[in-house]
Amino acid sequence: MAGRPVDHRRRAELLDAAVDYAAEHGFSDLSWRPIAAALGVSTTTLVHHFGTKEQMLVAILGRLRERIFVLTSDRAAGQPTLAAAARAAWEWSSDPQRWPEFKLFFAVYGSALQAPHLFAGFLDRVVADWMSLLRDAQGPDDDPAAPTLVIATIRGLLLDLLATGDRDRVGNAAEAFFAGLEHK
Amino acid sequence: MAGRPVDHRRRAELLDAAVDYAAEHGFSDLSWRPIAAALGVSTTTLVHHFGTKEQMLVAILGRLRERIFVLTSDRAAGQPTLAAAARAAWEWSSDPQRWPEFKLFFAVYGSALQAPHLFAGFLDRVVADWMSLLRDAQGPDDDPAAPTLVIATIRGLLLDLLATGDRDRVGNAAEAFFAGLEHK
DNA sequence: GAATTCGTAGTACGATCGTTCTAGAAAGTC
DNA sequence: GACTTTCTAGAACGATCGTACTACGAATTC
């Protein structure tokens, strides 16, 4: 009865490569053939592993969100205060090495806002994940305004940084924000 | 020598209709034929007024940025303090009636981050326009950190609001931010 | 009214799109 | 080795894409 077993590792490998490709070549114009060519496989292989193109987009965006969240939460989780967690998250996120990934993140975010039916899973978790992470660092004060503000500010500053590349101005603004968080 | 004069009003009319169409149907999958059908014209007419599809995208995003900036600056300009200007900008921007326009704004923003060569004009002005607006309200204190933070926070809060629709939580966070701005 | 330019539409071309079909090699169980 | 399922590739399909070409009414100058 059994036959060849499903190779989950292979799918994960292709998915990560697809995320890298999307970060480099953009998210809005993805199509089977160029991705397949870049990954050194046939389009049939991608179709076999991901189904339809829509399903592949959902898989890419899900993996991207997971990658960013896991890496950021490694740095932000376990911090003693909300301000410390915010500072840790910012310092990791604002590294120019992360820029392609975050440009892709905001491209996906924007697309999701205009196609909520397709990207419902992304929109559901894109704020909630971070809220629960930050509220762990927040301590007994359970006012959701503070973590909401931290998420919004970090993302807004990233949008500025990615658009202008002005690390000095944006970095100073971030520092002012964290300082205000601590003296409250 | 002269012939029929160029009808600039006609182009502006079509462009505004195209922006409305993009706000309703999404930015990433725009193509001549569906837009033309929705606007009740032929694709040839659109090509005639806008040139190539890339040029039409640039025109759409330019007009969108202009529309949002003009309308917001009507409310924010002339405010006595930075906090007042920020509050005015937020109160106008967060109105659910504006959501489709801002979803399009962030979709364009995300696409621009991944195609900076195409959307350089957008990226150049998307922060600079607001900086100059807010620094007028800022008064003698010319530290760019404060207006940078205002822009980032408002945009980050909008991202949250548009993704979650949670007006209470995001509204409270906005209020906390403005209160902090005033007592500084 | 002749000449010229603009606005609009219809048609057609080649390219690319997502997807399906067919087929064979690979990796398991019995 | 027989059997079954997965993985991969190639070819082909119909649809849609951006764009160029042709043509004609509208608006203006001379």
Side-chain angles (χ1 to χ4, degrees):
Chain A
M1 265 214 225
R4 181 174 177 172
V6 177
D7 189 347
H8 296 98
R9 241 183 288 170
R10 178 58 171 153
R11 184 186 191 274
E13 185 181 305
L14 290 171
L15 180 53
D16 266 314
V19 172
D20 292 339
Y21 180 89
E24 192 177 353
H25 294 85
F27 176 73
S28 47
D29 287 334
L30 291 184
S31 57
W32 290 125
R33 288 172 181 84
I35 303 180
L39 269 54
V41 298
S42 71
T43 68
T44 320
T45 296
L46 296 181
V47 173
H48 175 257
H49 284 284
F50 297 107
T52 67
K53 190 195 165 184
E54 280 197 357
Q55 290 173 325
M56 185 189 63
L57 291 183
V58 171
I60 287 178
L61 109 214
R63 177 62 180 136
L64 172 74
R65 189 188 44 72
E66 183 185 44
R67 262 162 60 162
I68 290 182
F69 179 66
V70 166
L71 290 173
T72 313
S73 93
D74 276 353
R75 273 114 187 135
Q79 296 285 342
T81 65
L82 184 61
R87 205 185 286 269
W90 170 255
E91 271 165 16
W92 181 77
S93 304
S94 60
D95 186 331
Q97 204 177 344
R98 299 270 82 80
W99 287 5
E101 230 160 345
F102 276 100
K103 287 180 181 182
L104 175 57
F105 172 78
F106 286 115
V108 167
Y109 204 140
S111 296
L113 291 177
Q114 290 208 305
H117 59 287
L118 229 179
F119 301 142
F122 181 88
L123 293 176
D124 282 345
R125 305 184 63 172
V126 75
V127 172
D129 277 353
W130 293 73
M131 281 297 290
S132 63
L133 175 70
L134 291 177
R135 295 185 78 165
D136 286 345
Q138 193 182 7
D141 173 17
D142 63 349
D143 180 10
T148 297
L149 207 47
V150 167
I151 297 171
T153 305
I154 289 181
R155 290 184 176 166
L157 288 172
L158 277 176
L159 275 178
D160 187 333
L161 181 62
L162 295 174
T164 66
D166 191 342
R167 299 177 66 185
D168 287 344
R169 179 177 52 82
V170 178
N172 288 337
E175 188 45 47
F177 174 65
F178 298 137
L181 262 186
E182 280 157 356
H183 298 88
K184 203 186 54 169
Chain B
M1 262 219 220
R4 180 173 176 173
V6 177
D7 189 349
H8 297 97
R9 242 183 286 171
R10 178 58 171 155
R11 184 184 190 273
E13 185 182 304
L14 289 171
L15 180 53
D16 266 314
V19 172
D20 292 339
Y21 179 89
E24 192 177 352
H25 294 84
F27 177 73
S28 46
D29 286 335
L30 291 184
S31 58
W32 290 124
R33 288 173 180 81
I35 303 180
L39 269 56
V41 298
S42 71
T43 70
T44 318
T45 295
L46 296 180
V47 173
H48 175 257
H49 284 284
F50 297 107
T52 68
K53 189 193 166 185
E54 280 197 357
Q55 291 173 324
M56 185 188 62
L57 292 183
V58 171
I60 286 178
L61 108 214
R63 177 63 181 136
L64 172 74
R65 188 190 43 72
E66 184 185 43
R67 262 162 60 161
I68 290 181
F69 178 67
V70 166
L71 289 172
T72 312
S73 92
D74 276 353
R75 272 114 187 133
Q79 296 287 339
T81 65
L82 183 61
R87 203 186 287 267
W90 169 256
E91 271 165 16
W92 180 78
S93 304
S94 60
D95 186 331
Q97 202 177 343
R98 300 268 83 80
W99 287 6
E101 228 161 347
F102 276 101
K103 288 181 179 181
L104 174 57
F105 172 78
F106 285 114
V108 167
Y109 204 141
S111 296
L113 291 177
Q114 290 208 306
H117 58 289
L118 229 179
F119 302 142
F122 182 88
L123 293 176
D124 281 346
R125 305 184 63 173
V126 74
V127 172
D129 277 352
W130 293 72
M131 282 296 291
S132 64
L133 175 69
L134 292 176
R135 294 186 80 167
D136 285 345
Q138 194 183 6
D141 173 17
D142 64 348
D143 180 10
T148 296
L149 206 47
V150 168
I151 296 172
T153 305
I154 288 181
R155 289 184 177 166
L157 288 172
L158 277 177
L159 274 178
D160 186 332
L161 181 62
L162 295 175
T164 67
D166 192 341
R167 300 177 65 183
D168 287 344
R169 179 177 52 82
V170 178
N172 287 337
E175 187 46 46
F177 174 67
F178 298 136
L181 261 187
E182 280 158 357
H183 299 88
K184 203 189 52 170

